[in-house]
Structure formats: structure tokens, C-alpha cells
Amino acid sequence: KKRIVVKIGSSSLTSRNGEVSIQKLVRLVDEIALIKDAGHELILVSSGAVAAGYRKLGFIDRPSVLAEKQAAASIGQCLLMEAYSERFGSHGYIASQILITRSDFLDEKRYMNARNTIQVLLERGVVPIVNENDTITIKQLKFGDNDTLSAKVAGLVEADQLIILSDIDGLYDDNPSTNPDAKLLEVVHEITADIEAAAGGSASDVGTGGMSSKIEAVKISLAAGIETFIGDANKPNILVDAVNHTAKGTYFKPN
Ligand code: ADP
């Protein structure tokens, strides 16, 4: 039995127009259900609250003003959880919501409390769904990724594996959207300066993290001794295959 943290980025949960895609969400949940059926414990770190909420708030395009984004997240978080709850329920699993801010990791009491709570949920077969508390957190929405959050959560629960799903099938030795000759790195033991340079900035405008924030996350998870995988959310069976180490992608292995 493994304890697995899965992080899904906004760009992997949204369709081209920037709205949350129920098909993509359903596919993800259906795969997670397979992992649960195999007896593993799983925590999902999901972005997508702003994407799920801005239309209902009356915006045609994703807003860029912070307060508007946060208002959209306030609506979207409910809608997102509703969709997750419903689909997990169809597999006989219960989803739970955990909203975290950075400061929760700095306070020992809150840290231990979060850990104990998640422990109870996992023991009872629940799928905790974690997100940054977007409505009140300023920094995170601005830099806007859950990558480092997912690594911190993996550390918090002492996960066996962290799986970061993106719109790309792993870490390349250069930005593949600008360099067609970039090569996929299959196994990485250490985040070197070269790797940091290769990760550069983000190319997608929905996801706000880019590869560099994933590399930041991997630094945290590797330091905690947690093996980490980055792969393509759109590949069928990606989660099951990542758990079995047969998926195409980048495997980061602690030394
Ligand atoms: P998500 O929304 O899934 O968190 P992002 O879209 O923000 O992910 O980041 C992934 C993107 O980062 C890729 O689609 C790619 O365009 C870009 N990128 C930049 N450098 C690299 C690299 N070295 N390897 C892979 N992807 C890279």
C-alpha cells in the first residue's frame, strides 16, 4: 500500500476557453478510483477554482484583477468540489476539502493538526482534496501554482510518491515549446543548475506555475526523500502507470 499525492494543474483541468472541463475532471477521478481500488491512499491537490468560477461571477474571460480572481475562486471552489464529490461518489468514495495557506506550514500546531486530520481521513478511505485557500491568499494567486503546495503536502503526510500532472509529458532539457530538439529527461536524481535553467518560465497562460515552479516543488519533495513524477495528464492510464513506474515521463529519485 502506497501513500500518493497527485497534483493536477489548471491547464490540465480546463478546456481551451479557460473553463473547467468536466470531461477532464471525470477522467482524472475515474483513474484515481482505480488507484483507490488497488488499496492505495491518495490525496489530490487540485487547482482550478478561478477557472471554475469566473463565468458564474459574470466575467466572459478569466479576470486578471486579484480581488476578482479571488471572488471567482470563492464560487469556483464550491463548484469544483461539487463536481469532485459527485464523481468520487459514483465510485463509492468520499471526497473532502482541505484549504491550506502557506502560514499553516510554518506553525507547528497547525501543521500537526492538519497532519492528524488527514490521517483520519485516509484511514477511513476518504480522498482529501487540497487547494490553496485562494480567496484569502495573496501571494499564491499571484504566482499562482499548487506545485510547491503539493510538495509540502507530500512532506506533511510522508507520502511515498508525488505525482505532478501537467500539459507536458515531463521535464525536458530545454523548453520544448521554443526548442523542437529538446529531449525528455527520464530519470533525475538531483536538481542541478542546468535543470533549473532548462525549466525557464511557463508557456501556458492558464497554468501559472510553469516548469520552474514544478522544479521548485521537486526540490522540496526530494529533500523530504519523496520520489516524484512529472507526466502528461492527458495520457490514458497515466496515474496507474506512474504508480507502477511504467508511464512515460520524468522520474525524480531521491539519492
Ligand atoms: P500546469 O498548468 O500543468 O501546472 P504549466 O503549463 O504552467 O503547467 O507548465 C508546463 C509548461 O512549461 C509546459 O507546457 C512547457 O510549455 C513549459 N516548459 C518550459 N520549460 C520546460 C521544460 N524544460 N520541460 C518541460 N516543459 C517546459
Side-chain angles (χ1 to χ4, degrees), residues 69-129:
K69 275 199 214 176
Q70 294 184 309
S74 175
I75 296 171
Q77 183 65 26
C78 290
L79 296 171
L80 204 56
M81 284 309 300
E82 196 182 344
Y84 275 129
S85 263
E86 196 183 306
R87 194 66 188 181
F88 274 115
S90 76
H91 292 283
Y93 293 109
I94 298 168
S96 78
Q97 172 180 261
I98 300 179
L99 297 177
I100 304 192
T101 58
R102 248 159 225 253
S103 54
D104 296 324
F105 287 93
L106 303 174
D107 181 293
E108 165 111 31
K109 272 198 191 135
R110 288 203 218 172
Y111 188 87
M112 292 312 290
N113 197 52
R115 188 175 164 135
N116 295 340
T117 304
I118 295 173
Q119 183 63 29
V120 173
L121 292 166
L122 292 176
E123 274 166 13
R124 296 188 167 254
V126 173
V127 181
I129 302 179

Short mmCIF file of all heavy atoms in Angstrom, two decimals, residues 69-129:
data_model
loop_
_atom_site.label_atom_id
_atom_site.label_comp_id
_atom_site.label_asym_id
_atom_site.label_seq_id
_atom_site.Cartn_x
_atom_site.Cartn_y
_atom_site.Cartn_z
N LYS A 69 -10.32 37.68 -9.15
CA LYS A 69 -9.89 36.28 -9.20
C LYS A 69 -10.29 35.57 -7.92
O LYS A 69 -10.74 34.43 -7.94
CB LYS A 69 -8.36 36.21 -9.29
CG LYS A 69 -7.81 36.31 -10.66
CD LYS A 69 -6.38 35.76 -10.61
CE LYS A 69 -5.49 36.49 -11.54
NZ LYS A 69 -4.10 36.04 -11.45
N GLN A 70 -10.09 36.27 -6.81
CA GLN A 70 -10.38 35.65 -5.52
C GLN A 70 -11.88 35.44 -5.35
O GLN A 70 -12.30 34.42 -4.80
CB GLN A 70 -9.78 36.49 -4.39
CG GLN A 70 -8.25 36.47 -4.48
CD GLN A 70 -7.55 37.19 -3.37
OE1 GLN A 70 -7.87 38.33 -3.08
NE2 GLN A 70 -6.59 36.54 -2.74
N ALA A 71 -12.66 36.37 -5.86
CA ALA A 71 -14.11 36.21 -5.82
C ALA A 71 -14.53 35.03 -6.69
O ALA A 71 -15.39 34.22 -6.31
CB ALA A 71 -14.80 37.50 -6.29
N ALA A 72 -13.90 34.92 -7.84
CA ALA A 72 -14.18 33.80 -8.75
C ALA A 72 -13.80 32.48 -8.09
O ALA A 72 -14.53 31.48 -8.17
CB ALA A 72 -13.42 33.98 -10.07
N ALA A 73 -12.67 32.47 -7.38
CA ALA A 73 -12.22 31.26 -6.70
C ALA A 73 -13.20 30.85 -5.62
O ALA A 73 -13.45 29.66 -5.38
CB ALA A 73 -10.84 31.48 -6.09
N SER A 74 -13.80 31.85 -4.97
CA SER A 74 -14.75 31.59 -3.90
C SER A 74 -15.97 30.83 -4.42
O SER A 74 -16.49 29.94 -3.76
CB SER A 74 -15.16 32.93 -3.28
OG SER A 74 -16.16 32.74 -2.33
N ILE A 75 -16.40 31.18 -5.61
CA ILE A 75 -17.50 30.46 -6.26
C ILE A 75 -17.01 29.14 -6.83
O ILE A 75 -17.62 28.08 -6.65
CB ILE A 75 -18.10 31.31 -7.40
CG1 ILE A 75 -18.71 32.59 -6.83
CG2 ILE A 75 -19.14 30.52 -8.20
CD1 ILE A 75 -19.13 33.58 -7.89
N GLY A 76 -15.89 29.22 -7.52
CA GLY A 76 -15.38 28.06 -8.24
C GLY A 76 -14.99 26.91 -7.34
O GLY A 76 -15.17 25.74 -7.70
N GLN A 77 -14.49 27.22 -6.16
CA GLN A 77 -14.08 26.16 -5.24
C GLN A 77 -15.27 25.26 -4.90
O GLN A 77 -15.15 24.04 -4.85
CB GLN A 77 -13.45 26.78 -3.98
CG GLN A 77 -12.93 25.78 -2.98
CD GLN A 77 -11.75 24.93 -3.48
OE1 GLN A 77 -11.00 25.34 -4.36
NE2 GLN A 77 -11.62 23.73 -2.94
N CYS A 78 -16.43 25.87 -4.66
CA CYS A 78 -17.66 25.09 -4.38
C CYS A 78 -18.04 24.22 -5.56
O CYS A 78 -18.36 23.04 -5.41
CB CYS A 78 -18.86 26.00 -4.15
SG CYS A 78 -18.82 26.92 -2.66
N LEU A 79 -18.02 24.84 -6.74
CA LEU A 79 -18.43 24.10 -7.94
C LEU A 79 -17.48 22.94 -8.23
O LEU A 79 -17.90 21.85 -8.60
CB LEU A 79 -18.49 25.06 -9.14
CG LEU A 79 -19.53 26.17 -9.02
CD1 LEU A 79 -19.35 27.19 -10.15
CD2 LEU A 79 -20.94 25.59 -9.04
N LEU A 80 -16.21 23.22 -8.02
CA LEU A 80 -15.19 22.20 -8.24
C LEU A 80 -15.41 21.02 -7.29
O LEU A 80 -15.41 19.86 -7.69
CB LEU A 80 -13.83 22.84 -7.99
CG LEU A 80 -12.60 22.25 -8.64
CD1 LEU A 80 -12.75 22.17 -10.15
CD2 LEU A 80 -11.38 23.11 -8.29
N MET A 81 -15.62 21.34 -6.02
CA MET A 81 -15.81 20.29 -5.02
C MET A 81 -17.10 19.51 -5.28
O MET A 81 -17.16 18.30 -5.06
CB MET A 81 -15.81 20.87 -3.60
CG MET A 81 -14.45 21.24 -3.09
SD MET A 81 -13.19 19.93 -3.22
CE MET A 81 -13.92 18.62 -2.24
N GLU A 82 -18.10 20.22 -5.75
CA GLU A 82 -19.36 19.56 -6.07
C GLU A 82 -19.12 18.51 -7.17
O GLU A 82 -19.58 17.37 -7.07
CB GLU A 82 -20.35 20.63 -6.56
CG GLU A 82 -21.79 20.19 -6.58
CD GLU A 82 -22.69 21.30 -7.13
OE1 GLU A 82 -22.26 22.48 -7.21
OE2 GLU A 82 -23.83 20.97 -7.48
N ALA A 83 -18.39 18.92 -8.19
CA ALA A 83 -18.10 18.00 -9.30
C ALA A 83 -17.25 16.82 -8.82
O ALA A 83 -17.51 15.67 -9.17
CB ALA A 83 -17.39 18.76 -10.42
N TYR A 84 -16.24 17.10 -8.01
CA TYR A 84 -15.40 16.02 -7.48
C TYR A 84 -16.22 15.06 -6.62
O TYR A 84 -16.13 13.84 -6.75
CB TYR A 84 -14.25 16.60 -6.65
CG TYR A 84 -13.04 17.01 -7.46
CD1 TYR A 84 -12.48 18.28 -7.32
CD2 TYR A 84 -12.43 16.12 -8.35
CE1 TYR A 84 -11.36 18.66 -8.04
CE2 TYR A 84 -11.31 16.50 -9.07
CZ TYR A 84 -10.78 17.77 -8.91
OH TYR A 84 -9.67 18.14 -9.63
N SER A 85 -17.02 15.65 -5.70
CA SER A 85 -17.82 14.84 -4.79
C SER A 85 -18.72 13.88 -5.54
O SER A 85 -18.84 12.71 -5.20
CB SER A 85 -18.74 15.74 -3.97
OG SER A 85 -18.18 15.98 -2.75
N GLU A 86 -19.37 14.44 -6.55
CA GLU A 86 -20.32 13.65 -7.30
C GLU A 86 -19.63 12.48 -8.01
O GLU A 86 -20.08 11.34 -7.94
CB GLU A 86 -21.01 14.56 -8.32
CG GLU A 86 -22.27 13.94 -8.87
CD GLU A 86 -22.89 14.82 -9.93
OE1 GLU A 86 -23.12 16.01 -9.63
OE2 GLU A 86 -23.10 14.32 -11.04
N ARG A 87 -18.52 12.79 -8.68
CA ARG A 87 -17.86 11.73 -9.43
C ARG A 87 -17.19 10.69 -8.51
O ARG A 87 -17.26 9.49 -8.78
CB ARG A 87 -16.83 12.34 -10.39
CG ARG A 87 -16.35 11.37 -11.43
CD ARG A 87 -17.48 10.96 -12.37
NE ARG A 87 -17.10 9.87 -13.27
CZ ARG A 87 -17.89 9.35 -14.19
NH1 ARG A 87 -19.12 9.82 -14.35
NH2 ARG A 87 -17.48 8.38 -14.96
N PHE A 88 -16.56 11.15 -7.44
CA PHE A 88 -16.00 10.19 -6.48
C PHE A 88 -17.10 9.33 -5.89
O PHE A 88 -16.94 8.13 -5.70
CB PHE A 88 -15.20 10.88 -5.38
CG PHE A 88 -13.76 11.16 -5.76
CD1 PHE A 88 -13.29 12.45 -5.88
CD2 PHE A 88 -12.89 10.10 -6.02
CE1 PHE A 88 -11.97 12.70 -6.25
CE2 PHE A 88 -11.57 10.34 -6.39
CZ PHE A 88 -11.11 11.64 -6.50
N GLY A 89 -18.24 9.96 -5.62
CA GLY A 89 -19.38 9.24 -5.06
C GLY A 89 -19.85 8.12 -5.97
O GLY A 89 -20.22 7.04 -5.51
N SER A 90 -19.77 8.36 -7.27
CA SER A 90 -20.23 7.33 -8.22
C SER A 90 -19.33 6.10 -8.17
O SER A 90 -19.70 5.03 -8.62
CB SER A 90 -20.30 7.90 -9.64
OG SER A 90 -19.01 8.00 -10.18
N HIS A 91 -18.13 6.26 -7.60
CA HIS A 91 -17.22 5.12 -7.42
C HIS A 91 -17.27 4.61 -5.98
O HIS A 91 -16.48 3.74 -5.61
CB HIS A 91 -15.78 5.53 -7.74
CG HIS A 91 -15.54 5.83 -9.18
ND1 HIS A 91 -15.42 4.86 -10.14
CD2 HIS A 91 -15.43 7.01 -9.84
CE1 HIS A 91 -15.21 5.43 -11.32
NE2 HIS A 91 -15.22 6.73 -11.16
N GLY A 92 -18.13 5.20 -5.17
CA GLY A 92 -18.21 4.79 -3.77
C GLY A 92 -17.17 5.43 -2.87
O GLY A 92 -16.93 4.95 -1.76
N TYR A 93 -16.56 6.50 -3.33
CA TYR A 93 -15.56 7.19 -2.50
C TYR A 93 -16.07 8.56 -2.05
O TYR A 93 -16.83 9.22 -2.76
CB TYR A 93 -14.23 7.34 -3.25
CG TYR A 93 -13.57 6.01 -3.49
CD1 TYR A 93 -13.50 5.47 -4.77
CD2 TYR A 93 -13.04 5.27 -2.42
CE1 TYR A 93 -12.92 4.22 -4.99
CE2 TYR A 93 -12.46 4.03 -2.63
CZ TYR A 93 -12.41 3.51 -3.92
OH TYR A 93 -11.84 2.28 -4.12
N ILE A 94 -15.59 8.96 -0.88
CA ILE A 94 -15.97 10.27 -0.34
C ILE A 94 -14.81 11.23 -0.55
O ILE A 94 -13.66 10.91 -0.27
CB ILE A 94 -16.29 10.15 1.16
CG1 ILE A 94 -17.48 9.21 1.37
CG2 ILE A 94 -16.56 11.52 1.78
CD1 ILE A 94 -17.69 8.81 2.81
N ALA A 95 -15.13 12.41 -1.06
CA ALA A 95 -14.12 13.46 -1.22
C ALA A 95 -14.24 14.43 -0.06
O ALA A 95 -15.33 14.67 0.45
CB ALA A 95 -14.35 14.19 -2.54
N SER A 96 -13.12 14.99 0.37
CA SER A 96 -13.18 16.01 1.42
C SER A 96 -12.36 17.21 0.98
O SER A 96 -11.45 17.08 0.17
CB SER A 96 -12.65 15.46 2.75
OG SER A 96 -11.23 15.44 2.75
N GLN A 97 -12.68 18.36 1.52
CA GLN A 97 -11.99 19.58 1.11
C GLN A 97 -11.04 20.07 2.20
O GLN A 97 -11.43 20.19 3.35
CB GLN A 97 -13.01 20.68 0.83
CG GLN A 97 -12.37 22.04 0.60
CD GLN A 97 -13.39 23.13 0.32
OE1 GLN A 97 -13.64 23.50 -0.79
NE2 GLN A 97 -13.98 23.62 1.39
N ILE A 98 -9.81 20.37 1.78
CA ILE A 98 -8.85 20.96 2.72
C ILE A 98 -8.25 22.19 2.05
O ILE A 98 -7.61 22.08 0.99
CB ILE A 98 -7.73 19.95 3.07
CG1 ILE A 98 -8.34 18.71 3.73
CG2 ILE A 98 -6.70 20.62 3.99
CD1 ILE A 98 -7.33 17.66 4.09
N LEU A 99 -8.49 23.35 2.63
CA LEU A 99 -7.92 24.58 2.09
C LEU A 99 -6.77 25.01 3.00
O LEU A 99 -6.93 25.13 4.21
CB LEU A 99 -8.98 25.68 2.02
CG LEU A 99 -10.16 25.38 1.09
CD1 LEU A 99 -11.19 26.49 1.14
CD2 LEU A 99 -9.67 25.17 -0.35
N ILE A 100 -5.63 25.19 2.39
CA ILE A 100 -4.43 25.49 3.17
C ILE A 100 -3.80 26.80 2.72
O ILE A 100 -3.90 27.16 1.54
CB ILE A 100 -3.39 24.35 3.01
CG1 ILE A 100 -4.02 23.00 3.39
CG2 ILE A 100 -2.17 24.60 3.87
CD1 ILE A 100 -3.00 21.87 3.52
N THR A 101 -3.16 27.47 3.63
CA THR A 101 -2.35 28.63 3.26
C THR A 101 -0.91 28.34 3.66
O THR A 101 -0.64 27.45 4.46
CB THR A 101 -2.80 29.92 3.98
OG1 THR A 101 -2.74 29.68 5.38
CG2 THR A 101 -4.22 30.29 3.61
N ARG A 102 -0.02 29.10 3.10
CA ARG A 102 1.39 28.92 3.39
C ARG A 102 1.70 28.95 4.89
O ARG A 102 2.52 28.20 5.39
CB ARG A 102 2.19 30.06 2.75
CG ARG A 102 3.06 29.59 1.63
CD ARG A 102 3.39 30.77 0.74
NE ARG A 102 3.23 30.36 -0.64
CZ ARG A 102 4.27 30.16 -1.44
NH1 ARG A 102 5.49 30.34 -1.01
NH2 ARG A 102 4.08 29.77 -2.67
N SER A 103 1.04 29.87 5.58
CA SER A 103 1.37 30.04 7.01
C SER A 103 1.03 28.80 7.84
O SER A 103 1.59 28.60 8.91
CB SER A 103 0.65 31.28 7.57
OG SER A 103 -0.73 31.18 7.31
N ASP A 104 0.11 27.98 7.32
CA ASP A 104 -0.23 26.75 8.05
C ASP A 104 0.97 25.81 8.18
O ASP A 104 1.03 25.00 9.09
CB ASP A 104 -1.38 26.00 7.35
CG ASP A 104 -2.66 26.81 7.34
OD1 ASP A 104 -2.93 27.51 8.33
OD2 ASP A 104 -3.39 26.75 6.34
N PHE A 105 1.90 25.94 7.23
CA PHE A 105 3.07 25.07 7.28
C PHE A 105 4.15 25.61 8.21
O PHE A 105 5.09 24.93 8.54
CB PHE A 105 3.65 24.88 5.87
CG PHE A 105 2.79 24.00 5.02
CD1 PHE A 105 1.81 24.54 4.19
CD2 PHE A 105 2.95 22.63 5.05
CE1 PHE A 105 1.02 23.73 3.41
CE2 PHE A 105 2.15 21.80 4.27
CZ PHE A 105 1.17 22.36 3.46
N LEU A 106 4.00 26.87 8.59
CA LEU A 106 5.03 27.49 9.43
C LEU A 106 4.72 27.34 10.91
O LEU A 106 5.59 27.45 11.75
CB LEU A 106 5.14 28.99 9.08
CG LEU A 106 5.45 29.27 7.61
CD1 LEU A 106 5.39 30.76 7.32
CD2 LEU A 106 6.81 28.69 7.22
N ASP A 107 3.45 27.09 11.21
CA ASP A 107 3.02 26.99 12.60
C ASP A 107 2.96 25.52 13.00
O ASP A 107 2.20 24.75 12.42
CB ASP A 107 1.64 27.67 12.73
CG ASP A 107 1.12 27.64 14.15
OD1 ASP A 107 0.81 26.56 14.67
OD2 ASP A 107 1.02 28.74 14.74
N GLU A 108 3.77 25.14 13.96
CA GLU A 108 3.89 23.74 14.36
C GLU A 108 2.55 23.11 14.75
O GLU A 108 2.23 21.99 14.36
CB GLU A 108 4.90 23.66 15.51
CG GLU A 108 4.89 22.36 16.27
CD GLU A 108 6.15 21.54 16.03
OE1 GLU A 108 7.21 22.14 15.80
OE2 GLU A 108 6.05 20.30 16.06
N LYS A 109 1.75 23.87 15.52
CA LYS A 109 0.46 23.33 15.97
C LYS A 109 -0.48 23.09 14.80
O LYS A 109 -1.15 22.06 14.72
CB LYS A 109 -0.20 24.31 16.95
CG LYS A 109 0.23 24.08 18.38
CD LYS A 109 -0.75 24.75 19.34
CE LYS A 109 -0.15 24.76 20.74
NZ LYS A 109 -0.32 26.06 21.40
N ARG A 110 -0.55 24.06 13.91
CA ARG A 110 -1.44 23.91 12.75
C ARG A 110 -0.95 22.77 11.86
O ARG A 110 -1.74 22.02 11.30
CB ARG A 110 -1.43 25.20 11.92
CG ARG A 110 -2.16 26.33 12.58
CD ARG A 110 -2.56 27.29 11.50
NE ARG A 110 -2.44 28.67 11.92
CZ ARG A 110 -2.59 29.70 11.10
NH1 ARG A 110 -2.85 29.48 9.83
NH2 ARG A 110 -2.50 30.91 11.54
N TYR A 111 0.36 22.68 11.73
CA TYR A 111 0.97 21.63 10.92
C TYR A 111 0.57 20.24 11.44
O TYR A 111 0.08 19.39 10.69
CB TYR A 111 2.49 21.79 10.96
CG TYR A 111 3.26 20.90 10.01
CD1 TYR A 111 3.50 21.31 8.70
CD2 TYR A 111 3.77 19.67 10.42
CE1 TYR A 111 4.23 20.51 7.83
CE2 TYR A 111 4.49 18.87 9.55
CZ TYR A 111 4.72 19.29 8.26
OH TYR A 111 5.43 18.50 7.40
N MET A 112 0.73 20.06 12.74
CA MET A 112 0.41 18.77 13.35
C MET A 112 -1.09 18.50 13.26
O MET A 112 -1.52 17.36 13.07
CB MET A 112 0.86 18.73 14.82
CG MET A 112 2.37 18.74 14.99
SD MET A 112 3.22 17.55 13.93
CE MET A 112 2.72 16.01 14.71
N ASN A 113 -1.85 19.56 13.40
CA ASN A 113 -3.30 19.41 13.34
C ASN A 113 -3.76 18.96 11.95
O ASN A 113 -4.57 18.04 11.81
CB ASN A 113 -3.98 20.73 13.73
CG ASN A 113 -5.43 20.52 14.08
OD1 ASN A 113 -5.75 19.66 14.90
ND2 ASN A 113 -6.31 21.25 13.42
N ALA A 114 -3.19 19.60 10.93
CA ALA A 114 -3.53 19.23 9.55
C ALA A 114 -3.15 17.78 9.30
O ALA A 114 -3.91 17.00 8.70
CB ALA A 114 -2.79 20.14 8.57
N ARG A 115 -1.99 17.41 9.80
CA ARG A 115 -1.49 16.05 9.61
C ARG A 115 -2.42 15.02 10.27
O ARG A 115 -2.76 14.00 9.66
CB ARG A 115 -0.13 16.04 10.28
CG ARG A 115 0.69 14.86 10.10
CD ARG A 115 2.00 15.24 10.76
NE ARG A 115 2.78 14.08 11.00
CZ ARG A 115 4.08 14.04 10.72
NH1 ARG A 115 4.66 15.09 10.18
NH2 ARG A 115 4.75 12.97 10.96
N ASN A 116 -2.84 15.31 11.49
CA ASN A 116 -3.73 14.38 12.19
C ASN A 116 -5.08 14.26 11.49
O ASN A 116 -5.65 13.18 11.40
CB ASN A 116 -3.96 14.83 13.64
CG ASN A 116 -2.67 14.78 14.45
OD1 ASN A 116 -1.74 14.08 14.07
ND2 ASN A 116 -2.62 15.52 15.55
N THR A 117 -5.57 15.38 11.01
CA THR A 117 -6.86 15.36 10.31
C THR A 117 -6.78 14.51 9.05
O THR A 117 -7.64 13.66 8.80
CB THR A 117 -7.28 16.80 9.92
OG1 THR A 117 -7.30 17.59 11.10
CG2 THR A 117 -8.65 16.83 9.27
N ILE A 118 -5.73 14.75 8.27
CA ILE A 118 -5.57 13.99 7.01
C ILE A 118 -5.40 12.50 7.31
O ILE A 118 -5.94 11.65 6.60
CB ILE A 118 -4.39 14.55 6.18
CG1 ILE A 118 -4.72 15.98 5.73
CG2 ILE A 118 -4.12 13.66 4.97
CD1 ILE A 118 -3.58 16.71 5.05
N GLN A 119 -4.70 12.20 8.40
CA GLN A 119 -4.51 10.81 8.80
C GLN A 119 -5.86 10.10 9.01
O GLN A 119 -6.08 8.99 8.53
CB GLN A 119 -3.65 10.76 10.08
CG GLN A 119 -3.32 9.37 10.57
CD GLN A 119 -2.48 8.56 9.57
OE1 GLN A 119 -1.70 9.12 8.81
NE2 GLN A 119 -2.67 7.25 9.56
N VAL A 120 -6.75 10.77 9.73
CA VAL A 120 -8.08 10.19 9.98
C VAL A 120 -8.82 9.97 8.66
O VAL A 120 -9.40 8.91 8.42
CB VAL A 120 -8.93 11.09 10.92
CG1 VAL A 120 -10.36 10.56 11.03
CG2 VAL A 120 -8.28 11.18 12.29
N LEU A 121 -8.77 10.98 7.80
CA LEU A 121 -9.47 10.87 6.51
C LEU A 121 -8.93 9.69 5.70
O LEU A 121 -9.71 8.89 5.16
CB LEU A 121 -9.31 12.18 5.72
CG LEU A 121 -10.02 13.40 6.30
CD1 LEU A 121 -9.53 14.68 5.63
CD2 LEU A 121 -11.54 13.27 6.14
N LEU A 122 -7.61 9.56 5.66
CA LEU A 122 -7.01 8.48 4.87
C LEU A 122 -7.34 7.12 5.44
O LEU A 122 -7.64 6.18 4.71
CB LEU A 122 -5.49 8.68 4.77
CG LEU A 122 -5.04 9.88 3.95
CD1 LEU A 122 -3.52 10.02 4.01
CD2 LEU A 122 -5.50 9.77 2.50
N GLU A 123 -7.28 7.03 6.77
CA GLU A 123 -7.61 5.75 7.41
C GLU A 123 -9.03 5.30 7.07
O GLU A 123 -9.32 4.12 7.02
CB GLU A 123 -7.50 5.88 8.94
CG GLU A 123 -6.10 5.65 9.46
CD GLU A 123 -5.94 6.10 10.90
OE1 GLU A 123 -6.97 6.36 11.57
OE2 GLU A 123 -4.78 6.21 11.34
N ARG A 124 -9.89 6.28 6.85
CA ARG A 124 -11.28 5.95 6.56
C ARG A 124 -11.58 5.91 5.07
O ARG A 124 -12.74 5.92 4.65
CB ARG A 124 -12.20 6.91 7.29
CG ARG A 124 -12.02 6.72 8.79
CD ARG A 124 -13.00 7.46 9.65
NE ARG A 124 -12.89 6.93 11.01
CZ ARG A 124 -13.80 6.14 11.57
NH1 ARG A 124 -14.88 5.81 10.94
NH2 ARG A 124 -13.61 5.70 12.79
N GLY A 125 -10.56 5.92 4.27
CA GLY A 125 -10.73 5.71 2.83
C GLY A 125 -11.16 6.92 2.03
O GLY A 125 -11.49 6.83 0.85
N VAL A 126 -11.15 8.09 2.69
CA VAL A 126 -11.59 9.32 2.03
C VAL A 126 -10.49 9.82 1.08
O VAL A 126 -9.31 9.52 1.26
CB VAL A 126 -11.91 10.39 3.11
CG1 VAL A 126 -12.20 11.76 2.50
CG2 VAL A 126 -13.06 9.92 3.99
N VAL A 127 -10.88 10.58 0.06
CA VAL A 127 -9.91 11.24 -0.81
C VAL A 127 -9.88 12.72 -0.45
O VAL A 127 -10.76 13.49 -0.86
CB VAL A 127 -10.28 11.09 -2.31
CG1 VAL A 127 -9.23 11.78 -3.18
CG2 VAL A 127 -10.41 9.61 -2.68
N PRO A 128 -8.89 13.16 0.34
CA PRO A 128 -8.79 14.59 0.65
C PRO A 128 -8.39 15.37 -0.59
O PRO A 128 -7.48 14.95 -1.32
CB PRO A 128 -7.69 14.66 1.72
CG PRO A 128 -7.49 13.26 2.19
CD PRO A 128 -7.85 12.38 1.03
N ILE A 129 -9.07 16.47 -0.84
CA ILE A 129 -8.73 17.32 -1.98
C ILE A 129 -8.24 18.65 -1.43
O ILE A 129 -8.97 19.38 -0.77
CB ILE A 129 -9.93 17.50 -2.92
CG1 ILE A 129 -10.41 16.12 -3.39
CG2 ILE A 129 -9.55 18.40 -4.09
CD1 ILE A 129 -11.61 16.15 -4.30
#
